[in-house]
Amino acid sequence: MPHGDRGRRVHLDTAGLGRMPAAARAQLTEWTRHEDRHGPYEVDEHVHHVVRPELDARLAALLGAPAGDTVLATGAADAFAALVPRLALGPGDRIWTTPYEGVANLTVLTALRDRARCRLEVVPLRPDGDLDLEWMAAHIDDDVALVSVAHVPAGCGIVTPVEDIGRILAPHRCLYAVDASYAVGQLPVDAGRIGCQLLTGDGWRFLRGPESVGFACLAPELRQALAPCGTGLLAPPEGASVVALNAALAVHEDAGPAGGLAAVVRTAVEETPGAELIAPGRVQCGIVTFRHAEMPAGLLRRALAARGVVVGKTVAQETPLYSPGRKATAAVRVSVHHDNSAWDAARFAEALREALAGRGRHAVPTAVRAAAPAPAAVAGGAVAAPAAGLRAVCAGSVAGAGAAGAVPAAGVPRPRRTAGRRHLALVSAPAPDGTA
């Protein structure tokens, strides 16, 4: 590689935070300064009259949805947490999630299970790590009220067949929610083809907007279910962030896939002695996750950063129901974007060799293709007759509804905030006799 390029930093952490295009960064700076000097009202007027019509049209084109179906939020997890608890599920209802569900959404689902005293079931995995669609087709019924699926999870690069799942669920009354945070911007995401009623996403990952701005796409069925409360509970993002996301989407329209670069990165990991690729499923995207037998993920990430290659780290708490292979708690996550080059992938491979020089003497499996199948069903609360369709309850009802007397679910952990961490860690609920 050219000697002069060695000083250039390589950004391979788009799944954590994408690099804003110059135009988006300039807009964020300009309107943040404008708000500081003149107050928020002029920025709000500019966003309302000029930016939002453009942004709604761009989001609609990006997501394959009518412009009126999209709303802005401070992030996908915030949108999910604001909307899903308002659904009035009852003791006869079932909720489906997957082993790849993120911790934020899983926390919301667990709380909803406890409030509604319904059942929370985990769709099992096939031996190769894909979701068992045959199990879903065999067990779907009208008592399944909510199905929550991550299009691409935080901890690995598997691509969930969200459109196939949508076809399975379509004849039934359930609400289908898809978290597209790690998919939108690197994969085609079409809410109409998926057939979901709720699609959430972040603007700061593969869309390369600023932090703390995301969106939700709500189908008419969900809006009707939420009619008593509406969507006003969503916290609006800052005005300058909305302007910058609009500028980022204007550049993103011509973005192409980056699968070829991901394949180069994946090959470099597979050829590294001591490396263990975490790649369940048959279809992978631009996210490559791995760990090393002799070097912790955090230390390896810092070693790569010292060599000018920026990568991310994922921890087990991000997807607590999925535990691939041995009991490691962290892994290195590499994520490529269409603005990365073949040189970037080659530089990663070289930096990885340099960081691990003298290590890798102990062989480990080169790939983790799947975890053990998750439990097919996890019950929580009492069981009663199925509810007749989705209903909605307002915030006051949610706050007043406790989980007293609910039976803890075996295998689905309850949320507990741990000191000194910015995220929730999930731990298994104690057994009735007090044992863990």
Side-chain angles (χ1 to χ4, degrees), residues 208-225:
R208 301 196 299 165
E211 291 187 270
S212 299
V213 58
F215 52 85
C217 181
L218 287 73
E221 304 95 309
L222 178 58
R223 289 181 181 273
Q224 182 179 2

Side-chain angles (χ1 to χ4, degrees), residues 101-391:
E101 187 72 87
V103 63
N105 287 6
L106 186 60
T107 302
V108 172
L109 296 176
T110 305
L112 178 59
R113 175 205 65 188
D114 291 346
R115 173 184 65 77
R117 303 194 183 183
C118 58
R119 299 171 63 193
L120 179 57
E121 300 177 347
V122 180
V123 176
L125 300 179
R126 289 160 38 100
D128 59 9
D130 282 333
L131 292 178
D132 192 337
L133 301 191
E134 293 182 359
W135 183 94
M136 297 183 75
H139 291 80
I140 184 66
D141 205 342
D142 281 342
D143 59 352
V144 177
L146 175 63
V147 177
S148 180
V149 173
H151 195 170
V152 174
C156 60
I158 185 175
V159 180
T160 303
V162 289
E163 293 184 13
D164 293 340
I165 294 173
R167 284 189 284 271
I168 293 172
L169 303 179
H172 302 275
R173 64 104 177 181
C174 64
L175 167 70
Y176 181 24
V178 173
D179 179 3
S181 300
Y182 294 88
V184 65
Q186 68 152 330
L187 298 173
V189 175
D190 190 316
R193 291 178 60 88
I194 293 172
C196 59
Q197 287 73 49
L198 174 62
L199 187 143
T200 55
D202 295 323
W204 62 85
R205 303 187 196 277
F206 291 91
L207 293 178
R208 301 196 299 165
E211 291 187 270
S212 299
V213 58
F215 52 85
C217 181
L218 287 73
E221 304 95 309
L222 178 58
R223 289 181 181 273
Q224 182 179 2
L226 295 171
C229 303
T231 60
L233 297 169
L234 287 172
E238 296 293 333
S241 298
V242 177
V243 179
L245 177 60
N246 185 49
L249 290 186
V251 178
H252 175 78
E253 290 176 355
D254 295 327
L261 295 181
V264 174
V265 170
R266 196 171 294 112
T267 298
V269 172
E270 290 178 323
E271 294 176 350
T272 299
E276 182 182 19
L277 185 67
I278 303 173
R282 292 168 290 179
V283 180
Q284 298 291 309
C285 63
I287 297 175
V288 180
T289 306
F290 70 98
R291 55 202 175 200
H292 194 269
E294 300 179 13
M295 196 169 190
L299 183 60
L300 181 52
R301 184 193 64 81
R302 292 192 294 273
L304 291 170
R307 291 163 173 79
V309 179
V310 178
V311 299
K313 185 182 78 169
T314 180
V315 295
Q317 292 96 326
E318 290 185 271
T319 51
L321 297 184
Y322 176 66
S323 300
R326 58 192 174 86
K327 298 297 182 181
T329 59
V332 177
R333 184 180 65 195
V334 184
S335 49
V336 299
H337 191 266
H338 73 91
D339 68 338
N340 287 119
S341 65
W343 185 91
D344 294 339
R347 180 68 192 113
F348 163 78
E350 182 182 50
L352 183 63
R353 288 194 298 270
E354 293 171 356
L356 294 172
R359 297 178 184 263
R361 299 185 183 92
H362 299 92
V364 297
T366 57
V368 175
R369 296 297 179 185
V378 178
V383 178
L390 288 174
R391 304 177 301 282

Side-chain angles (χ1 to χ4, degrees), residues 313 315-317 329 416-426:
K313 185 182 78 169
V315 295
Q317 292 96 326
T329 59
R416 182 182 71 186
R417 189 173 296 279
T418 56
R421 295 185 181 273
R422 297 178 58 193
H423 54 75
L424 288 176
L426 295 184

